[in-house]
Amino acid sequence: MRIFRLPGLPVCVFLLLLTLVYGHTLAQNKSPNAFTLKDGDRMVFLGNSIFENEFQYGYLELALTTRFADKGITFRNLGWTGDNVWGEARSTYTNPPTPYEHLMEDITKAAPTVVFLAYGGVEAQEGQAGVAHFKDGLNKLIDKIESLGAKAVLLSTIPVVSADTAQRIDERNADLELYSKAIADVASQRGKQFIDIYNPVLNTSKKADIIENTVHLNETGYYYLADVLEKALGMPNDRETSTITIAKPTPYSSNVRILTDSKDNNVIVRFVAADKYLPLPFPQASSWVGNDANVVRIVGLKKGYYTLSAGNEQVVTASAKEWEKGVEIKQGPQFEQSARIREMIVRKNELHFFQYRPLNQTYIIGFRKYEQGRHVKGLEEQNILIKWLEGQIILHSEPKEVVYELRKLE
């Protein structure tokens, strides 16, 4: 939109009109639930097994880390298998504290600024009769999160998936959908962002093996859940296509930087690809990973096969015809960098897991700590390793430039 100041119109009036016009346009374009982070934010995953099981894969944390690589955000996973909004699965202490007090302590010590809540799967076993009690507990959790100055993002339940008809799948899923609606209602009433993961997980389960033991996501499941969260939060995850045209005297491209300093006569084209963010490494066990990989198109190649390499390592080989259509890049330095970060995330989460949930915790940090409370010092010392790993994760989360070379396969 272009606005021209009318002759004789006072500057102050012009600026007022400009503010009204553009302010209205920006207000229309900006989503009221736009997900943003600031430097140093602490994100906490709080819920049942959907979060506890994730700490061994690291996909959710990796996705958020790499999409906000310039923010220096840190994470704490407080997921607890079988937990509900009243913290009843946390009753591994001998009271005191009560399980609910334990839950409150866990949230407070994590010092969150953003909390992802994933409850309802356990509570759904109570059916319609338990909805009101569940909503009450969920609201109290949100009250606690707000009292800490943090914002909450609410996730739906996930479906039960099984071919065993004896599992009463339809009945169980009807209850899970009922509780998903309850979560959505609370989110709407409290002005919180709600993310439906029930339907995306159900739809993806028809294409790939993403659930084991009817209710738990496997590695592939968390890979796709990360994709669902990226899209729901409005984070960039669309694949990019880089197009290069082979021509004389030199190749050219509108969106790739071509390098002309190669001394290898066998190199047909040498170029730099700078991804906006690191890709998620693909799950090892999956035979179907969708179509989220970036694509390279090379037009004008003579008939034959051509190999794309980076750092003296082969990335992919394809025919001239395939290169012209576009070839997906599913391995290479960017994936290796991302995989190393994921390894550090998993290691850091393991350290944190055994720090905040130590064996014999009643004797170390509970009411019988007079017996083995000396071991608290060892738990606290793990913070050194945790913080070091967090620093390394943040330091290496931005993508590095990769130099690619294309050669004809003889």
Side-chain angles (χ1 to χ4, degrees):
M1 180 186 295
R2 299 182 68 184
I3 297 178
F4 299 92
R5 184 163 69 92
L6 297 174
L9 185 68
V11 173
C12 60
V13 177
F14 168 73
L15 292 176
L16 176 61
L17 290 173
L18 187 66
T19 301
L20 290 173
V21 172
Y22 275 102
H24 177 69
T25 301
L26 290 173
Q28 285 183 319
N29 292 336
K30 185 176 180 180
S31 169
N33 292 322
F35 184 78
T36 58
L37 291 175
K38 61 182 183 298
D39 288 337
D41 267 340
R42 164 66 59 80
M43 304 189 69
V44 168
F45 297 123
L46 180 65
N48 50 42
S49 61
I50 194 170
F51 281 148
E52 178 178 337
N53 292 344
E54 204 280 332
F55 92 85
Q56 62 187 308
Y57 301 117
Y59 271 124
L60 303 186
E61 184 171 336
L62 178 62
L64 291 164
T65 297
T66 54
R67 276 25 173 206
F68 294 96
D70 61 332
K71 299 301 183 184
I73 54 178
T74 56
F75 297 80
R76 290 293 180 267
N77 190 328
L78 301 182
W80 201 300
T81 297
D83 202 24
N84 59 20
V85 290
W86 304 103
E88 291 176 352
R90 299 170 193 255
S91 59
T92 51
Y93 280 132
T94 302
N95 294 337
T98 66
Y100 194 69
E101 289 171 339
H102 188 183
L103 173 61
M104 295 298 103
E105 288 177 3
D106 288 342
I107 300 173
T108 303
K109 289 179 181 178
T113 59
V114 180
V115 179
F116 280 78
L117 284 172
Y119 282 104
V122 175
E123 297 89 334
Q125 297 177 54
E126 300 298 323
Q128 180 67 57
V131 171
H133 184 58
F134 169 67
K135 282 186 173 182
D136 181 48
L138 186 58
N139 273 302
K140 284 183 167 59
L141 267 183
I142 296 173
D143 289 341
K144 174 63 176 181
I145 292 166
E146 288 182 341
S147 74
L148 297 173
K151 61 181 179 181
V153 178
L154 280 61
L155 275 61
S156 73
T157 61
I158 65 171
V160 172
V161 177
S162 175
D164 184 358
T165 56
Q167 294 283 340
R168 298 186 298 110
I169 300 300
D170 291 342
E171 293 179 33
R172 295 172 66 186
N173 280 340
D175 286 333
L176 289 166
E177 286 189 277
L178 176 66
Y179 277 69
S180 283
K181 183 180 182 303
I183 296 168
D185 290 343
V186 171
S188 177
Q189 293 163 5
R190 301 292 295 261
K192 306 300 179 183
Q193 183 166 5
F194 169 76
I195 300 178
D196 171 31
I197 61 175
Y198 182 97
N199 288 297
V201 167
L202 183 62
N203 293 335
T204 304
S205 70
K206 299 173 183 177
K207 304 174 185 177
D209 181 15
I210 65 170
I211 291 183
E212 56 189 25
N213 297 325
T214 73
V215 295
H216 299 300
L217 294 176
N218 56 23
E219 180 188 21
T220 306
Y222 282 106
Y223 172 84
Y224 286 109
L225 182 58
D227 182 70
V228 171
L229 292 186
E230 287 172 3
K231 292 175 180 176
L233 296 173
M235 296 189 292
N237 68 345
D238 294 333
R239 68 178 185 176
E240 299 177 4
T241 298
S242 302
T243 303
I244 300 169
T245 300
I246 305 300
K248 293 183 179 181
T250 58
Y252 64 88
S253 173
S254 62
N255 59 353
V256 172
R257 179 156 59 94
I258 305 295
L259 302 178
T260 58
D261 58 349
S262 177
K263 297 179 181 179
D264 188 341
N265 294 329
N266 294 319
V267 175
I268 297 171
V269 63
R270 190 165 182 258
F271 62 94
V272 171
D275 293 342
K276 295 179 182 178
Y277 50 85
L278 289 173
L280 297 182
F282 297 111
Q284 296 180 354
S286 179
S287 59
W288 181 83
V289 290
N291 58 350
D292 294 327
N294 288 339
V295 174
V296 172
R297 289 187 65 236
I298 303 179
V299 180
L301 293 171
K302 295 180 180 180
K303 187 177 181 179
Y305 284 84
Y306 298 81
T307 296
L308 187 70
S309 61
N312 297 319
E313 293 185 9
Q314 179 178 325
V315 176
V316 62
T317 297
S319 68
K321 187 175 182 179
E322 290 170 329
W323 281 115
E324 186 167 356
K325 290 181 179 179
V327 175
E328 292 184 335
I329 306 302
K330 295 186 176 181
Q331 60 182 10
Q334 302 287 48
F335 286 92
E336 293 170 5
Q337 181 184 349
S338 185
R340 287 193 295 271
I341 295 173
R342 185 182 173 211
E343 289 173 0
M344 288 190 287
I345 287 173
V346 170
R347 178 56 180 152
K348 181 263 299 181
N349 287 339
E350 287 176 348
L351 289 171
H352 173 256
F353 181 87
F354 290 108
Q355 182 190 52
Y356 104 100
R357 294 173 62 172
L359 299 175
N360 295 327
Q361 53 189 310
T362 297
Y363 295 87
I364 299 176
I365 57 178
F367 82 99
R368 296 184 66 174
K369 61 185 178 182
Y370 63 87
E371 296 184 43
Q372 298 183 32
R374 63 187 182 278
H375 295 303
V376 169
K377 183 178 180 181
L379 297 177
E380 293 174 347
E381 288 174 348
Q382 290 188 52
N383 284 327
I384 298 173
L385 287 174
I386 291 172
K387 290 180 179 179
W388 182 83
L389 284 168
E390 286 176 336
Q392 292 298 304
I393 291 166
I394 293 169
L395 183 64
H396 295 96
S397 60
E398 294 195 65
K400 300 176 182 178
E401 283 192 344
V402 177
V403 177
Y404 290 99
E405 294 179 336
L406 185 75
R407 294 178 176 83
K408 187 172 185 179
L409 185 63
E410 299 297 340

